[in-house]
């Protein structure tokens, strides 16, 4: 219920999540307390309140470790989220052993190809990437991409996330010839999944364009950049037209209702 209301009223969602947390504590429901803490921390993170989210996460992890089994789903979720917050704060050295522990536990309990295991494996790869341990990160990205592509399909968002990570790492390492076909796949699959003008697709196109430029394939790079610019201009035009329509409607309501303030707002919009 709290998550359903988060978009419409995030403050109300936070209040509800805090109540759920307090209620679980009141009846000594450790699993419920950890799950509520995870939800509250995620909600605070989504609102960019990272310090608040981190404080909740620390308490949640401590409670999970004290009261739940080490391999309980709630425990592993709490640890995974805490590793993500450590990464967000730039504390990669602290995040790495935590992420590795979660991955290894999920691997043992759920198996190598379970979505949650792959989720943790990809997280570990990202942390190693940021630590500069690129050989390890690349191996993890390749394993995770192959597993996700095999179990979820090439166009699944999770598969595309790992493919993007692998492509970016190869570019960073200067392996442009190897990255370029992966970027071709990324652009095509992202476009089919989200649409040719979606932000994710345009970001993939932009990454591909600069890789082509570095490879000296300037005509292809220019063509890709022109596609991006055309899409952005189209989106801008659509938004401008929508703003014009909204302004006209506001002006019309204001004029017909003899409301000069509303009518004025409509004219300013035009």
């Amino acid at each position: 219920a709290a998550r359903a209301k988060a978009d419409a009223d995030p403050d109300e969602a936070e209040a509800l999540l805090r109540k759920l947390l307090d209620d679980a504590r009141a009846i000594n429901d450790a699993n419920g307390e950890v799950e509520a803490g995870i939800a509250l921390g995620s909600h605070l993170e989504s609102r960019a309140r990272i310090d608040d989210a981190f404080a909740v996460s620390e308490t949640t992890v401590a409670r999970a470790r004290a009261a739940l089994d080490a391999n309980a789903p709630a425990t592993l979720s709490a640890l995974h989220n805490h590793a993500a917050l450590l990464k967000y704060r730039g504390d990669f050295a602290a995040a790495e052993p935590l992420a590795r522990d979660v991955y290894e536990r999920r691997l043992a309990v759920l198996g190598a190809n379970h979505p949650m295991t792959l989720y943790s494996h990809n997280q570990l790869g990202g942390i190693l990437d940021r630590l500069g341990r690129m050989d390890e990160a690349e191996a993890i990205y390749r394993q995770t991409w192959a597993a996700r592509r095999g179990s979820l399909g090439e166009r699944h968002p999770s598969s595309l996330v790992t493919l993007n990570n692998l492509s970016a790492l190869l570019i960073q390492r200067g392996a442009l010839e190897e990255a370029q076909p992966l970027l071709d796949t990324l652009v095509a699959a992202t476009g089919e999944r989200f649409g040719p003008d979606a932000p994710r697709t345009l970001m993939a196109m932009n990454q591909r364009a600069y890789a082509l430029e570095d490879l000296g394939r300037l005509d292809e790079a220019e063509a890709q950049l022109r596609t991006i610019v055309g899409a952005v201009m189209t989106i801008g035009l659509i938004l401008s037209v929508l703003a014009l329509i909204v302004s006209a409607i506001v002006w019309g309501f204001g004029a017909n209702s003899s409301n000069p303030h509303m009518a004025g707002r409509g004219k300013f919009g035009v």
Side-chain angles (χ1 to χ4, degrees):
R3 290 180 180 178
K5 293 180 179 179
D7 291 335
D9 191 342
D11 290 332
E12 184 178 350
E14 180 182 341
L16 180 54
L17 286 169
R18 290 190 182 278
K19 184 178 186 306
L20 290 173
L21 182 58
D22 289 341
D23 289 347
R25 285 172 177 162
I27 60 173
N28 198 31
D29 177 5
N31 193 75
E33 182 181 342
V34 171
E35 289 184 346
I38 292 169
L40 176 59
S42 297
H43 178 69
L44 293 169
E45 182 183 359
S46 72
R47 301 183 69 185
R49 291 168 53 185
I50 303 303
D51 289 342
D52 291 340
F54 191 81
V56 170
S57 181
E58 281 190 314
T59 302
T60 302
V61 165
R63 179 61 167 152
R65 282 174 164 164
L68 301 181
D69 184 81
N71 292 327
T75 301
L76 297 179
S77 293
L79 295 173
H80 178 99
N81 289 2
H82 198 61
L85 285 167
L86 286 166
K87 180 185 175 185
Y88 190 94
R89 288 159 64 103
D91 193 352
F92 308 117
E96 189 265 334
L98 194 59
R100 188 178 297 278
D101 181 51
V102 174
Y103 165 66
E104 290 174 351
R105 290 182 183 281
R106 282 177 166 166
L107 178 64
V109 174
L110 301 173
N113 292 323
H114 191 280
M116 296 306 295
T117 305
L118 296 175
Y119 189 39
S120 293
H121 208 199
N122 190 71
Q123 182 192 55
L124 177 60
I127 293 168
L128 292 170
D129 191 348
R130 297 301 296 272
L131 283 168
R133 292 158 61 179
M134 293 187 179
D135 288 342
E136 296 173 80
E138 181 179 339
I140 287 174
Y141 286 153
R142 289 187 182 280
Q143 292 169 21
T144 305
W145 181 47
R148 282 177 162 174
R149 184 177 50 176
S151 60
L152 301 174
E154 191 170 75
R155 294 168 182 78
H156 191 278
S158 295
S159 302
L160 297 175
V161 165
T162 305
L163 178 56
N164 179 76
N165 292 348
L166 175 59
S167 301
L169 183 142
L170 290 172
I171 291 172
Q172 188 178 355
R173 304 192 76 173
L176 298 174
E177 293 286 356
E178 191 174 3
Q180 190 271 320
L182 297 181
L183 289 169
D184 290 346
T185 300
L186 179 64
V187 169
T190 305
E192 290 178 16
R193 177 75 187 196
F194 299 104
D197 298 334
R200 289 190 184 189
T201 307
L202 298 180
M203 290 174 65
M205 286 181 179
N206 187 65
Q207 190 167 311
R208 178 177 180 270
Y210 284 107
L212 290 169
E213 181 182 6
D214 288 341
L215 284 167
R217 295 162 59 177
L218 301 182
D219 290 343
E220 294 175 77
E222 180 182 350
Q224 186 74 97
L225 289 171
R226 287 185 180 277
T227 300
I228 296 170
V229 170
V232 171
M233 290 180 66
T234 299
I235 293 169
L237 178 61
I238 291 171
L239 291 175
S240 297
V241 171
L242 287 174
L244 181 63
I245 292 171
V246 170
S247 297
I249 291 171
V250 171
W251 179 84
F253 275 119
N256 288 333
S257 63
S258 299
N259 186 333
H261 177 64
M262 184 180 289
R265 288 179 62 188
K267 287 182 178 178
F268 276 118
V270 175

